[in-house]
């Protein structure tokens, strides 16, 4: 066998690893509904000031973590409105999210520390899709630095294959959904206030997996938008505002 054959086999092994029993996934018509993203962004830009006036910001530092294959630009509509509303929202500073790496939590920790240097206070994490898993695991890693976690369409509960994204995740990250490169207890609630945003027409993530069960999060808020719209549509952005307000009330 050529010396490089084992390396090639290992490279593809986790990327195309499957499972005998197929998990339930959202209906295809809801998945196709995510094509409305450009219209969601346009609606948000048009109503930016009204959205900002509808959200009561309190100066809290908020770190936005994008989903799989997304980068800073993808979170800009949300960041723009939150800042206009009176929060101090920050990008995660790590470019495009290509899945978890061994040092992912340490990299987020450096960004959190950089934010905290200006205020000394805690940072609230808002994570979209896979970014929400990063946020939940970081909150377990450094709970004393985190004021709370808001997840948006994040599959933290149930079967990790109950979505239309797990094969893409494995291909991009090189890891099986069952074996991330750092300890990940998806269903374990972080020791900070947590709010889960979920949509019955998500289309990418099975709604039950993003909603979670009692004990896996403190509160769940239903949102009428697509998976892509959670971080870009007026409905998704207002839901983030409500989640931040609910966290303040706690």
């Amino acid at each position: 066998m050529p010396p490089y054959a084992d390396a090639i086999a290992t490279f593809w092994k986790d990327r195309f690893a499957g499972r005998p029993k197929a998990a339930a996934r959202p209906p295809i018509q809801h998945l196709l509904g995510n094509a409305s993203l450009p219209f969601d962004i346009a609606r948000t830009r048009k109503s930016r000031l009204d959205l900002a006036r509808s959200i009561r910001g309190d100066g809290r530092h908020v770190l936005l973590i994008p989903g799989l294959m997304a980068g800073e630009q993808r979170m800009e509509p949300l960041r723009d409105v939150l800042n206009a509303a009176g929060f101090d929202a920050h990008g995660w500073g790590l470019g495009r999210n290509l899945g978890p790496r061994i040092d992912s939590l340490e990299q987020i920790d450096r960004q959190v520390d950089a934010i905290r240097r200006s205020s000394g206070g805690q940072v609230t994490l808002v994570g979209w899709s896979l970014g929400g898993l990063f946020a939940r695991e970081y909150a377990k890693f450094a709970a004393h630095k985190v004021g709370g976690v808001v997840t948006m369409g994040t599959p933290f509960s149930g079967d990790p294959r109950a979505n239309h994204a797990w094969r893409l995740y494995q291909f991009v990250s090189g890891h099986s959904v069952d074996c991330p490169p750092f300890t990940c207890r998806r269903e374990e609630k972080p020791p900070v206030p947590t709010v889960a945003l979920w949509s019955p027409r998500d289309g990418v993530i099975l709604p039950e997996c993003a909603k979670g069960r009692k004990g896996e999060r403190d509160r769940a808020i239903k949102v009428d938008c697509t998976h892509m719209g959670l971080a870009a549509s007026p409905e998704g952005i207002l839901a983030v505002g409500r989640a931040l307000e609910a966290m303040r009330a706690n």
Side-chain angles (χ1 to χ4, degrees):
M1 180 181 291
Y4 51 80
D6 183 60
I8 294 175
T10 300
F11 178 83
W12 293 109
K13 179 175 178 291
D14 284 340
R15 285 168 165 78
F16 289 109
R19 109 180 288 179
K21 183 179 179 182
R25 290 190 293 274
I28 294 298
Q29 61 266 33
H30 287 171
L31 177 64
L32 296 176
N34 283 279
S36 65
L37 175 62
F39 301 100
D40 288 335
I41 293 175
R43 289 192 299 124
T44 294
R45 286 175 177 163
K46 184 177 180 180
S47 58
R48 172 184 173 274
L49 293 180
D50 289 335
L51 288 170
R53 282 192 287 264
S54 299
I55 298 172
R56 294 180 298 151
D58 58 6
R60 261 180 294 172
H61 289 288
V62 179
L63 179 63
L64 306 179
I65 306 180
L68 181 65
M69 296 294 291
E72 306 281 351
Q73 186 177 5
R74 179 65 180 79
M75 307 298 284
E76 276 304 312
L78 174 59
R79 181 179 177 180
D80 189 36
V81 172
L82 290 181
N83 281 332
F87 290 102
D88 190 359
H90 305 260
W92 80 324
L94 299 177
R96 194 173 297 277
N97 187 343
L98 299 178
R101 299 292 183 262
I102 293 175
D103 63 344
S104 291
L105 299 185
E106 287 80 3
Q107 290 190 58
I108 293 174
D109 191 50
R110 286 194 285 272
Q111 181 70 352
V112 168
D113 282 345
I115 295 170
R116 280 165 51 85
R117 274 196 287 272
S118 65
S119 67
Q122 294 178 316
V123 177
T124 299
L125 308 181
V126 176
W128 173 54
S129 198
L130 177 63
L133 288 179
F134 281 53
R136 284 173 62 95
E137 293 309 309
Y138 177 75
K140 301 169 192 175
F141 173 82
H144 63 289
K145 300 179 184 180
V146 178
V149 171
V150 178
T151 57
M152 301 182 287
T154 294
F156 64 86
S157 181
D159 194 321
R161 290 173 175 78
N163 56 75
H164 289 292
W166 70 270
R167 287 187 176 87
L168 176 62
Y169 166 89
Q170 291 190 164
F171 181 78
V172 171
S173 71
H175 306 290
S176 166
V177 291
D178 302 306
C179 302
F182 53 76
T183 301
C184 180
R185 301 178 295 278
R186 292 185 311 116
E187 297 176 337
E188 178 184 306
K189 194 188 91 66
V192 300
T194 55
V195 179
L197 305 184
W198 66 281
S199 171
R201 59 186 185 94
D202 183 299
V204 176
I205 307 299
L206 198 68
E208 292 87 342
C209 297
K211 178 181 181 181
R213 296 168 288 217
K214 185 177 180 180
E216 296 174 347
R217 45 47 179 178
D218 293 305
R219 182 176 180 180
I221 297 177
K222 179 180 176 181
V223 189
D224 184 21
C225 68
T226 66
H227 185 76
M228 296 297 181
L230 281 164
S233 71
E235 296 81 7
I237 291 172
L238 282 175
V240 172
R242 290 201 303 272
L244 292 172
E245 289 176 13
M247 204 165 283
R248 178 172 53 212
N250 291 336

